[in-house]
Amino acid sequence: MTNFILRRLAQIPLALFAVAILTFFLARVAPGGPFDGARQLPVEVERRLLQTCHLDAPVYEQFVDFLRSWLSFKADGCTSMSLQMPGRSVWEIISEAFPLSLQLGLYSLGVALLLGLTAGIVAALRQNTWMDHVAMSTAIVGVSVPNFILGPLLILVFSLTLGWVPPARWDSAASWILPSLTLGLAYSAYISRLTRAGLLEVVRQDFMRTARAKGLPVRIILFRHGLRAGLLPVISYLGPAISSLFTGSMVVEQIFSIPGLGRTFVTAALNRDYNVVLGAILIYASFLMVMNLIVDVLYGLLDPRVRIES
Amino acid sequence: MSCAADVGNDNDVYAPKRTSNENILRYNAYEEPATIDPSLVHGGADALIVRQLFEGLVSLEPITQIPIPAVASSWTQSEDGKSWDFLIRPEATWSDGRAVSAEDFRAGIERVLRPSTMSRQAPELYVLKNAKAFHQGKIAMVVGKHVRPRRPPFVTLQEDLTSTSTLATLATFEKGVAVELLDSNLRRVAGQRPLLLRKTPDEKSEVTSTLAPHQDALIIAKRGASKADRRQQAWVQLRPPDGGQAGWTREKHLIVVYPELNFRRVEGERRFSSRVPLRVAASDHADVAAWVDDDQEIEVLSKRGAWLLAVEPISGRSGFIREDHVDNEYGDRHWLLVRTKVPPPLGGDGRPKNSSYGWLPARELFRSGDLLGIRAEQDTLHFELEQPQSSFLASLASPAFFPLPQHVLVKSGSRWSRLEHLVANGAFILERRRSGDHLFLSRSERYWNRNDVHLDGVEVLFVVDEHTTLDLFRTGRLDALAPGHLPVEALPALKRSAAFRSSNLFASYFLNLNTTRAPFDDVRIRRAFHLAIDRRLLSKVLLGMSEPATHLVPPGAPDYPVLEGLAADTVQARKLLAEAGFPDGKKFPRVEYLFHSGAQHKLIAEVLQAMWLKELNVEVSLVNQEWKTYVKRVERRQYEIAKADFVGATLDPALFLGIFSSSSGDNHTGFRSTNYDDTMQKAKALLPSLERNQLLATAEEMLNRELPLLPLLFFRSEALVLPEVQGLAQNQLGTTYFKNVYFDGMRPHLPQRMPALDLENALKQRNQSPTKAGISPSHDGQEGIAEGAAFQKTHKEEKSSSPSFSKKKSSLSSEAVQESHD
């Protein structure tokens, strides 16, 4: 097990490096550069702006510079600073945005798990009753309604009409509710379906029958034996789900005006702020890889059948 | 639905009760500033915040845009309008209590012009003497082979002559003339090697000598000529800063500048290493931007014959290369050549190619006071202009002319504009910020005119989404929105609200046509497309956000006529199309209409597409691109039709018309007309006058005939502002000052005296116009109309008035400007 984890951990830097290289080229393939705008800049100023960080050099030369600065672990002004906001470093920008996205992601995850698991368990235990139908049709709606519709709808009802919560911004506990719901609901719908399917499959297994035959109380059968196996699909879904929740959703952050990582990333991409784009992507990639690793480890712990042999 | 019935009543969802009763304005600016460093301002979002934090010599009266005294208490101007003296107010202080000095202004302006600052505003300062040459690095140093002046002076070109095409390849003299080498004082240099003269068939002599690699310039004249003759007839050979072939020009094109700096020339090689972080500023040959790490040992060498190079020890950690050099506590700079331990590869011209080390030519390093038309003397700031310019006074209110706190810059370097270091001199100080969300400006207790600042603070939000903004406004969480961001589809509802405010903007929306390729290389087709547009309908579809436009320059420029272009005429349009070879639009090639994402751009494109299909039977395909892609495609002229717009920074028609000169970097249509260029050239050389306006009008008429662009609309600036918010003016140029704003009933400082009499005329005029201005007395005895209940109910009247501009209406604000100016 330790070996497995170590091996996986060792792969992460390599994968990150590959991601960085890919991002480097993709960002530069996009037309336009960081200093292009509606009006032509004074020629001297534009030339200088570009030359300062070699942005006028052929891409392969820029790449060599980039590699050199990366491999020597020496960040200079041209790799560590925003090209769009003079004097602000990528690290600073991300460290301001990321905590907000984390916070939003955490609350949304709470919403998703709470609603999703409850609905899924209820639906599985009361299969084919009205509760099951209600839960599952709600889930279908939840999966199909995109959050750019759900968000404004929630705002319309709870903020503009009822006046209970603020319609946007991230500055008070009340303002956390709508974005967390908007982001969490789609995931909770997914989770509820996965939970239900997982549980239903498990219920028919021999070990469950054995447990019931032993005369264990329903509560224990369900939580100790049933959920442990039934939740495996949910767990494997949670890896990518958590990383995408925690690294920010462009749409939700836009609707609710939350200055999180998702918005930062999209703005940087539109502005061709190569360095910030790269920073945000690396955060996202490392988060994804770590989450996947955790999921794989959890998998082994939860299900004896998949425990790694090594 | 009745239109007017619900204005101001409780059903008006877009004019809610404020949720807070603090004396704090909550304003959504939509866009976040990229920087709050006045030198680096680029675009409206930066300028908005910088204008609140800093104050220039003058500021603009909110509505009329008349310059009124700010940090300068008074000024005088010379007869010829070329030199100006500004007296700095003694009570003006920085927010840390230090007095604002004339030197702070001078240093700020010099910083904008310094090439290494890379300020996008530098061209705004080209009005100052030598500023352009300085900014473009067209300054050469004279180092003759045997010339060893103790202080090498600089030679700078008066005009833009350094490109190889304008520099002559040979210096010519009369037959049989002997020439001699001169130093920069135009004195003979002894012991020189004779220059090679060559005879030509037309009885002249030519000098074929070229610059030695170590020389930047060379001056020669007829041997034994008098001093006056030398000045007239000397030739100078220069190496252009862009590294091209050296060339000759006449001495009279040059200005010789004697720097005060102590250049130290190092013969041979010296070495020393430094543990101090060293920064080498980017040179203006920016191929040699250099960066030296904290712990890197460097060698400092001199290069024979070159007067090169600055190494600047900077305290603290090194930052971004964009940081400029500021005289620091290390005192004198070292004027040396620097390179890192790794020897740089040399390019063909003997200059290093790589950026890991750098050579800096000394031409970038001098005290600008000797050269630039700006001088600080105690409490007086003196400007010298290239040529008189009437908009000069107004331009002083722009961030390019703002003062910078030198004492803070020296201490904090490029980090000076961060929250923790920032020191400013405006009506507000930056109290806190959360990037992407808001920043909070609080009333400065050190602002010289603090008694006239009524708000305790302003919370400036950066909510990007238009709909989210409306939600916040509806729920009483915002007091005012920046103009120009209301969603089109919400307009019918918004227009009925008491909070709706609308005003003219000096801005034009048009389409560029690519005149370099078929089909729009044919003026008949351009005209056909122009005539087929029903602009009234277009404006109606846009719900009155704009006025129909048949010509480029928006109404409002002082004394400038409104030159209506061709009106819609579909019969004529079809006829022209047939003449051009496409009867009934048959076989018309596929053309692309390029625009960028944005609801109204799409709407406009779709309406036009339908009109051209209906009237001309021509299919236009719409290409909607993300912003930067759109910009690049327009630049590369990969389009047939492309959306364009322009907002004037001052009320000058030449700004709009200048776009279509062939030398303009913004002319992406391929339109070239020597006639047009000449007219523009002539007009630009003149002071604002009837003659100038006539020339400009001729130019615009040319555009109306040639149609490299299809004028479409003049945009209006529309916003939501709570009715109780007063003094938040909307003017034609879109500049906003929060210092004039107050809430009804929350104005601590009441009017002290009634407005000056000479304003009455202006006000009468204004009252006839759809935008009424109330009067509130001015505070410091200067003329100025503080805006009162100006824009509140105007939109109703506006709607009933005719949508087309009449000349009288449009020239109103300009008349007001003129009158109060006298």
Side-chain angles (χ1 to χ4, degrees):
Chain A
M1 191 69 180
T2 328
N3 246 338
F4 167 75
I5 296 178
L6 285 180
R7 210 168 54 231
R8 288 285 297 267
L9 279 177
Q11 284 166 4
I12 289 184
L14 282 180
L16 280 182
F17 192 58
V19 168
I21 292 177
L22 203 62
T23 313
F24 177 90
F25 283 107
L26 282 180
R28 278 158 179 84
V29 163
F35 310 116
D36 285 317
R39 301 267 87 82
Q40 197 80 41
L41 289 178
V43 185
E44 304 75 30
V45 176
E46 187 177 21
R47 197 188 52 193
R48 236 166 207 288
L49 282 168
L50 289 172
Q51 284 177 338
T52 305
C53 285
H54 265 208
L55 290 172
D56 58 340
V59 174
Y60 68 87
E61 273 181 32
Q62 293 184 37
F63 184 63
V64 171
D65 281 356
F66 166 82
L67 280 187
R68 194 177 297 143
S69 121
W70 260 67
L71 295 178
S72 59
F73 290 98
K74 257 184 204 157
D76 62 24
C78 291
T79 48
S80 68
M81 305 295 283
S82 160
L83 298 170
Q84 208 57 228
M85 289 176 272
R88 282 172 56 84
S89 71
V90 174
W91 174 247
E92 190 186 335
I93 291 168
I94 289 181
S95 61
E96 276 174 7
F98 197 27
L100 294 181
S101 289
L102 270 182
Q103 211 185 349
L104 170 62
L106 198 68
Y107 301 152
S108 312
L109 183 69
V111 169
L113 285 179
L114 197 73
L115 295 180
L117 287 180
T118 320
I121 292 171
V122 168
L125 293 184
R126 303 277 182 272
Q127 197 192 354
N128 295 331
T129 63
W130 64 271
M131 286 160 103
D132 181 22
H133 296 312
V134 168
M136 286 309 106
S137 26
T138 321
I140 286 179
V141 175
V143 173
S144 356
V145 176
N147 47 16
F148 58 84
I149 306 242
L150 186 61
L153 265 180
L154 291 176
I155 294 177
L156 184 64
V157 175
F158 294 103
S159 184
L160 297 185
T161 313
L162 298 172
W164 291 350
V165 282
R169 301 185 67 202
W170 191 259
D171 51 5
S172 62
S175 71
W176 301 342
I177 297 174
L178 289 189
S180 310
L181 274 179
T182 309
L183 191 53
L185 278 179
Y187 288 88
S188 78
Y190 221 91
I191 289 175
S192 69
R193 291 203 63 90
L194 288 175
T195 313
R196 177 177 178 271
L199 269 185
L200 284 180
E201 199 191 315
V202 168
V203 167
R204 299 194 192 98
Q205 301 272 330
D206 290 345
F207 67 89
M208 290 293 279
R209 208 168 297 133
T210 316
R212 221 169 298 146
K214 276 200 294 194
L216 287 177
V218 180
R219 190 164 33 88
I220 295 186
I221 299 176
L222 181 67
F223 285 98
R224 188 177 297 163
H225 299 286
L227 276 187
R228 189 159 163 183
L231 281 190
L232 285 177
V234 177
I235 303 268
S236 57
Y237 170 66
L238 277 184
I242 288 180
S243 49
S244 85
L245 274 174
F246 282 21
T247 46
S249 149
M250 159 65 194
V251 177
V252 173
E253 288 176 7
Q254 177 83 12
I255 294 174
F256 292 97
S257 189
I258 302 167
L261 195 61
R263 220 177 80 179
T264 307
F265 171 61
V266 175
T267 317
L270 291 178
N271 285 336
R272 308 287 188 267
D273 198 335
Y274 303 136
N275 297 341
V276 178
V277 168
L278 183 61
I281 286 202
L282 287 182
I283 292 276
Y284 185 80
S286 31
F287 219 86
L288 189 70
M289 286 179 226
V290 171
M291 283 326 291
N292 279 342
L293 175 60
I294 293 178
V295 165
D296 287 351
V297 172
L298 272 186
Y299 231 73
L301 293 179
L302 285 176
D303 186 349
R305 288 171 305 180
V306 244
R307 208 159 280 168
I308 321 302
E309 302 121 26
S310 65
Chain B
M1 246 195 288
S2 92
C3 254
D6 51 0
V7 168
N9 72 18
D10 293 341
N11 299 331
D12 187 353
V13 293
Y14 289 112
K17 292 229 152 49
R18 295 186 76 214
T19 54
S20 122
N21 51 9
E22 287 173 304
N23 189 15
I24 288 168
L25 180 76
R26 294 159 309 165
Y27 182 88
N28 190 25
Y30 294 91
E31 211 186 321
E32 186 176 19
T35 177
I36 49 172
D37 183 333
S39 313
L40 301 181
V41 163
H42 178 50
D46 302 352
L48 171 76
I49 303 302
V50 166
R51 277 209 173 87
Q52 320 307 327
L53 294 172
F54 294 85
E55 190 174 56
L57 293 165
V58 304
S59 73
L60 299 181
E61 196 284 326
I63 298 174
T64 57
Q65 301 286 293
I66 302 167
I68 52 175
V71 178
S73 56
S74 65
W75 52 84
T76 53
Q77 126 179 234
S78 69
E79 283 285 299
D80 61 359
K82 273 188 167 181
S83 74
W84 294 72
D85 284 312
F86 289 82
L87 193 65
I88 308 292
R89 210 178 270 287
E91 67 267 34
T93 53
W94 292 103
S95 51
D96 60 358
R98 230 175 142 113
V100 178
S101 69
E103 173 60 23
D104 291 336
F105 277 93
R106 194 205 60 78
I109 291 167
E110 188 197 311
R111 181 162 178 257
V112 172
L113 281 173
R114 220 178 288 142
S116 57
T117 309
M118 294 184 270
S119 167
R120 278 115 156 156
Q121 302 172 95
E124 289 180 42
L125 303 180
Y126 284 179
V127 50
L128 300 178
K129 201 180 100 199
N130 290 341
K132 189 173 180 188
F134 176 40
H135 181 245
Q136 300 187 337
K138 285 170 182 156
I139 291 163
M141 195 168 46
V142 179
V143 187
K145 196 169 178 217
H146 299 281
V147 186
R148 296 196 180 180
R150 213 169 297 140
R151 291 176 180 185
F154 300 104
V155 171
T156 165
L157 278 178
Q158 257 168 350
E159 291 158 56
D160 188 353
L161 281 176
T162 46
S163 73
T164 36
S165 60
T166 49
L167 286 177
T169 43
L170 296 165
T172 38
F173 292 90
E174 292 150 38
K175 182 184 172 187
V177 154
V179 296
E180 59 192 355
L181 194 64
L182 304 181
D183 68 13
S184 50
N185 289 321
L186 299 184
R187 275 195 296 263
R188 214 178 124 238
V189 181
Q192 52 167 330
R193 201 177 52 184
L195 293 160
L196 199 67
L197 291 181
R198 195 176 70 181
K199 275 185 192 153
T200 61
D202 57 345
E203 305 285 293
K204 286 188 174 174
S205 300
E206 290 173 345
V207 179
T208 53
S209 161
T210 50
L211 286 180
H214 65 270
Q215 291 175 315
D216 279 329
L218 192 65
I219 304 182
I220 54 171
K222 197 162 105 184
R223 183 176 288 169
S226 70
K227 179 113 189 187
D229 281 352
R230 283 179 202 158
R231 182 152 285 286
Q232 276 309 306
Q233 290 159 13
W235 281 89
V236 178
Q237 187 173 35
L238 278 180
R239 193 187 301 286
D242 51 17
Q245 197 73 41
W248 290 96
T249 183
R250 282 289 195 179
E251 200 277 333
K252 62 186 172 195
H253 292 301
L254 301 173
I255 306 160
V256 180
V257 180
Y258 300 92
E260 282 167 16
L261 292 171
N262 285 315
F263 282 94
R264 205 171 47 185
R265 186 161 189 199
V266 190
E267 292 290 346
E269 204 174 280
R270 276 194 204 170
R271 284 161 183 268
F272 63 82
S273 62
S274 167
R275 289 271 153 207
V276 187
L278 287 173
R279 179 191 320 288
V280 181
S283 89
D284 67 71
H285 295 272
D287 54 327
V288 291
W291 185 258
V292 184
D293 281 310
D294 285 18
D295 51 356
Q296 200 173 355
E297 257 189 37
I298 60 156
E299 290 174 314
V300 182
L301 316 169
S302 77
K303 190 177 160 194
R304 278 183 68 86
W307 304 88
L308 293 182
L309 300 194
V311 182
E312 265 191 64
I314 298 267
S315 52
R317 271 194 62 80
S318 19
F320 194 27
I321 199 142
R322 204 176 277 178
E323 183 162 352
D324 54 358
H325 23 120
V326 173
D327 279 340
N328 54 38
E329 62 266 39
Y330 289 85
D332 284 342
R333 297 173 187 160
H334 305 280
W335 303 99
L336 295 161
L337 181 66
V338 173
R339 68 170 204 224
T340 54
K341 274 196 159 174
V342 191
L346 294 180
D349 56 355
R351 287 208 188 90
K353 273 192 336 201
N354 198 297
S355 75
S356 56
Y357 63 88
W359 309 110
L360 270 189
R363 66 180 63 163
E364 185 174 345
L365 311 165
F366 60 91
R367 288 186 195 280
S368 65
D370 314 309
L371 172 83
L372 289 177
I374 174 166
R375 209 173 57 240
E377 269 162 26
Q378 290 166 346
D379 54 355
T380 309
L381 193 64
H382 178 81
F383 288 106
E384 202 70 53
L385 309 191
E386 285 281 350
Q387 45 182 287
Q389 212 183 65
S390 74
S391 61
F392 176 65
L393 198 55
S395 68
L396 292 176
S398 102
F401 282 95
F402 282 3
L404 294 179
Q406 286 310 294
H407 54 290
V408 183
L409 257 83
V410 168
K411 220 171 55 205
S412 320
S414 68
R415 300 168 74 85
W416 79 275
S417 62
R418 297 171 70 95
L419 177 63
E420 61 271 27
H421 303 301
L422 185 75
V423 165
N425 74 327
F428 293 92
I429 51 175
L430 181 62
E431 190 168 303
R432 56 171 190 270
R433 72 182 297 176
R434 181 168 166 192
S435 56
D437 190 57
H438 75 276
L439 53 79
F440 190 85
L441 306 172
S442 61
R443 207 166 98 98
S444 166
E445 290 313 316
R446 289 230 162 86
Y447 178 52
W448 66 271
N449 196 15
R450 56 194 163 275
N451 289 342
D452 280 321
V453 180
H454 310 296
L455 292 170
D456 291 338
V458 185
E459 190 181 14
V460 185
L461 264 57
F462 310 116
V463 180
V464 183
D465 193 278
E466 296 170 346
H467 295 275
T468 308
T469 308
L470 275 191
D471 294 341
L472 286 168
F473 191 82
R474 276 182 66 171
T475 51
R477 288 175 170 85
L478 278 170
D479 303 317
L481 311 183
H485 292 270
L486 300 180
V488 187
E489 59 276 20
L491 272 181
L494 297 180
K495 283 185 149 182
R496 290 195 297 272
S497 161
F500 184 76
R501 294 187 190 188
S502 173
S503 67
N504 292 337
L505 199 61
F506 199 57
S508 194
Y509 191 99
F510 53 93
L511 301 178
N512 278 330
L513 296 180
N514 187 349
T515 62
T516 56
R517 62 183 191 208
F520 292 114
D521 53 351
D522 186 337
V523 67
R524 289 171 297 188
I525 294 179
R526 299 204 289 269
R527 206 168 289 166
F529 270 66
H530 176 89
L531 293 172
I533 301 170
D534 182 350
R535 292 173 170 78
R536 260 162 215 276
L537 181 61
L538 182 65
S539 157
K540 218 179 261 171
V541 175
L542 288 169
L543 302 163
M545 282 203 314
S546 53
E547 308 286 347
T550 55
H551 59 110
L552 178 65
V553 179
D559 297 324
Y560 186 76
V562 172
L563 297 163
E564 296 287 349
L566 300 171
D569 182 346
T570 52
V571 181
Q572 181 68 16
R574 275 189 287 263
K575 216 172 106 196
L576 282 167
L577 196 66
E579 273 174 31
F582 304 101
D584 197 28
K586 265 180 209 131
K587 290 197 215 138
F588 195 79
R590 199 182 79 109
V591 290
E592 284 188 343
Y593 179 125
L594 178 68
F595 61 105
H596 60 84
S597 24
Q600 74 268 44
H601 307 311
K602 190 159 173 245
L603 192 59
I604 292 171
E606 285 167 353
V607 172
L608 292 176
Q609 184 188 38
M611 282 176 183
W612 287 322
L613 183 64
K614 182 170 160 247
E615 305 300 345
L616 302 178
N617 195 25
V618 160
E619 193 92 47
V620 172
S621 48
L622 303 187
V623 183
N624 186 351
Q625 293 282 6
E626 167 262 1
W627 169 244
K628 294 257 176 178
T629 314
Y630 154 85
V631 168
K632 263 277 130 44
R633 281 190 59 172
V634 172
E635 239 173 61
R636 293 183 183 147
R637 240 183 265 152
Q638 293 166 344
Y639 70 92
E640 276 90 32
I641 308 173
K643 168 257 157 189
D645 51 26
F646 189 82
V647 187
T650 61
L651 297 174
D652 183 359
L655 294 175
F656 287 79
L657 298 169
I659 302 175
F660 295 93
S661 316
S662 43
S663 60
S664 154
D666 293 325
N667 181 358
H668 304 301
T669 62
F671 171 70
R672 272 169 181 278
S673 152
T674 35
N675 202 352
Y676 187 84
D677 292 348
D678 288 348
T679 317
M680 285 308 293
Q681 201 71 46
K682 267 186 232 153
K684 277 185 175 165
L686 291 172
L687 270 177
S689 60
L690 276 180
E691 193 193 346
R692 182 177 191 262
N693 280 346
Q694 268 159 13
L695 281 169
L696 291 174
T698 332
E700 192 175 6
E701 267 162 2
M702 261 183 248
L703 288 186
N704 282 349
R705 272 197 312 275
E706 290 295 321
L707 292 169
L709 76 151
L710 301 184
L712 286 181
L713 301 159
F714 297 131
F715 263 86
R716 299 179 59 77
S717 121
E718 303 186 317
L720 290 181
V721 178
L722 285 185
E724 59 261 47
V725 175
Q726 305 294 351
L728 190 64
Q730 277 182 293
N731 54 58
Q732 276 196 296
L733 303 178
T735 44
T736 303
Y737 292 103
F738 294 133
K739 64 181 174 195
N740 309 94
V741 178
Y742 62 96
F743 289 104
D744 268 346
M746 290 176 114
R747 193 181 189 189
H749 309 286
L750 288 171
Q752 282 148 20
R753 67 183 199 84
M754 289 309 288
L757 274 174
D758 60 350
L759 282 177
E760 275 186 358
N761 263 331
L763 285 162
K764 251 185 235 155
Q765 300 259 11
R766 187 185 305 284
N767 286 342
Q768 291 163 9
S769 84
T771 45
K772 282 190 208 155
I775 316 164
S776 82
S778 57
H779 16 77
D780 51 10
Q782 295 301 331
E783 72 264 81
I785 313 164
E787 180 252 18
F791 291 95
Q792 279 194 49
K793 291 177 185 166
T794 58
H795 58 284
K796 272 196 295 170
E797 296 170 36
E798 291 247 281
K799 265 187 295 188
S800 56
S801 73
S802 143
S804 70
F805 284 95
S806 69
K807 192 188 163 192
K808 193 170 150 202
K809 194 160 112 192
S810 58
S811 57
L812 260 172
S813 75
S814 55
E815 280 165 27
V817 169
Q818 300 245 310
E819 279 177 27
S820 345
H821 204 57
D822 292 338

